[in-house]
């Protein structure tokens, strides 16, 4: 049996570090199953406040020594308790980054984005 390759992938962004004297904001982009591109800000897991977890799609990431991002989870539209639990699970899974795609989309669009960023989308993220 052939392994199915994950069609979603990270596309690292160039930094604008040092422009006009301001520090660079760590950003990245993810390409979904559909081919759509989603720009995300990179946070350390303990720096993301659970109260910030509404109207966002978040990815729990383990970045290896080679710089490759390995997704451990995708979530969206979390309430405070759900965000706390998800972040704890991601920390226990070894995540050293959380990628946050902020959107003004409604709940249905957030679900669609999360599915698009989940390689084995079968209805749950």
């Amino acid at each position: 049996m052939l392994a199915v390759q994950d069609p979603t992938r990270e596309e690292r962004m160039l930094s604008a570090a040092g422009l006009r004297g301001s520090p660079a904001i760590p950003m990245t982009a993810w390409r979904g199953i559909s081919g759509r591109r989603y720009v995300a800000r990179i946070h350390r897991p303990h720096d993301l406040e659970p109260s910030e977890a509404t109207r966002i799609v978040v990815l729990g990431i383990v970045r290896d020594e080679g710089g490759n991002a390995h997704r451990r989870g995708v979530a969206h539209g979390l309430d405070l308790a759900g965000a706390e639990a998800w972040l704890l699970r991601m920390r226990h899974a070894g995540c050293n980054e959380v990628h946050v795609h902020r959107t003004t989309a409604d709940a249905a669009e957030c679900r669609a984005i999360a599915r698009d960023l989940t390689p084995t989308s079968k209805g749950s993220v």
Side-chain angles (χ1 to χ4, degrees):
M1 178 193 297
L2 292 174
V4 177
Q5 187 174 7
D6 180 357
T8 62
R9 66 188 180 282
E10 182 187 33
E11 297 177 343
R12 302 289 302 265
M13 297 176 66
L14 296 175
S15 171
L19 290 179
R20 297 187 185 99
S22 62
I25 296 172
M27 303 290 285
T28 193
W30 282 86
R31 190 69 65 177
I33 295 165
S34 68
R36 285 182 60 188
R37 185 172 185 247
Y38 304 96
V39 175
R41 183 166 180 183
I42 301 171
H43 294 267
R44 292 182 301 204
H46 59 275
D47 287 346
L48 183 65
E49 290 293 325
S51 61
E52 296 180 66
T54 59
R55 290 193 156 183
I56 65 172
V57 177
V58 314
L59 295 87
I61 303 295
V62 174
R63 177 117 17 226
D64 66 24
E65 297 82 21
N68 300 306
H70 304 278
R71 192 179 30 246
R72 293 294 183 259
V74 179
H76 64 89
L78 298 169
D79 61 15
L80 185 59
E84 289 172 348
W86 188 85
L87 285 168
L88 184 61
R89 280 196 313 276
M90 292 302 101
R91 284 188 211 110
H92 286 296
C95 291
N96 50 15
E97 295 180 0
V98 176
H99 295 188
V100 177
H101 172 70
R102 295 190 188 280
T103 179
T104 58
D106 61 13
E109 181 64 15
C110 284
R111 275 192 305 277
I113 292 168
R115 277 193 309 272
D116 198 26
L117 291 171
T118 304
T120 56
S121 290
K122 293 182 181 168
S124 74
V125 288

